[in-house]
Amino acid sequence: METPIERIKLSQTAKEQLTKLKRNTKIDQWNILCRWAFCCSLAEPTAPSPVPIPQDSNVEMTWRVFGGEMSDILLLALKQRCYNDGYGTDKETLVTQFRLHLHRGIGYLAGDPNIKKIEDLIELATKN
């Protein structure tokens, strides 16, 4: 499946939050933590606030690296979420909504005082 999102560049704040999560969970790959964060945000019933997100860190990855074997499924989930929230599924909307969901999810995970190890992420995912 062709993706409208070629490259993903994180904000410096998100990089710092991911660094904290890497230290706590011992998950050392940005893309895996970003998948957790993206899915965490998608699970929220409300749409993320439309805030400007700088691309001022040195953390960058392609969509395929971000999504791995799940990249097509994650893209479909994003498109479905955009549709459910009343947005279009054009390239610009998908890119914007993806960045908003990703950064919101990173903030949620980094701000959760209960996430101290990888098992806490699993518990968070399976409690609903």
Side-chain angles (χ1 to χ4, degrees), residues 5-22:
I5 304 163
E6 295 298 323
R7 300 199 71 73
I8 302 153
K9 190 166 184 178
L10 299 177
S11 69
Q12 184 63 32
T13 301
K15 177 186 176 183
E16 291 165 6
Q17 292 169 325
L18 284 172
T19 300
K20 174 188 170 190
L21 284 168
K22 285 172 72 170

Side-chain angles (χ1 to χ4, degrees), residues 97-109:
Q97 288 302 303
F98 172 73
R99 289 186 48 73
L100 291 172
H101 276 289
L102 177 60
H103 282 79
R104 176 172 78 170
I106 291 169
Y108 282 173
L109 293 179

Side-chain angles (χ1 to χ4, degrees), residues 19-87:
T19 300
K20 174 188 170 190
L21 284 168
K22 285 172 72 170
R23 190 172 43 251
N24 289 346
T25 64
K26 308 296 186 255
I27 296 172
D28 62 352
Q29 294 176 321
W30 302 107
N31 60 330
I32 293 172
L33 288 170
C34 286
R35 279 184 228 151
W36 278 96
F38 178 65
C39 291
C40 178
S41 180
L42 287 180
E44 285 293 311
T46 59
S49 298
V51 296
I53 300 170
Q55 298 182 48
D56 57 351
S57 81
N58 62 352
V59 177
E60 187 174 1
M61 66 191 90
T62 65
W63 175 264
R64 291 288 172 198
V65 168
F66 161 76
E69 293 178 0
M70 296 176 39
S71 61
D72 288 347
I73 293 168
L74 293 171
L75 180 57
L76 289 172
L78 174 63
K79 286 181 176 182
Q80 184 64 51
R81 180 58 191 261
C82 286
Y83 174 81
N84 291 351
D85 287 345
Y87 300 120

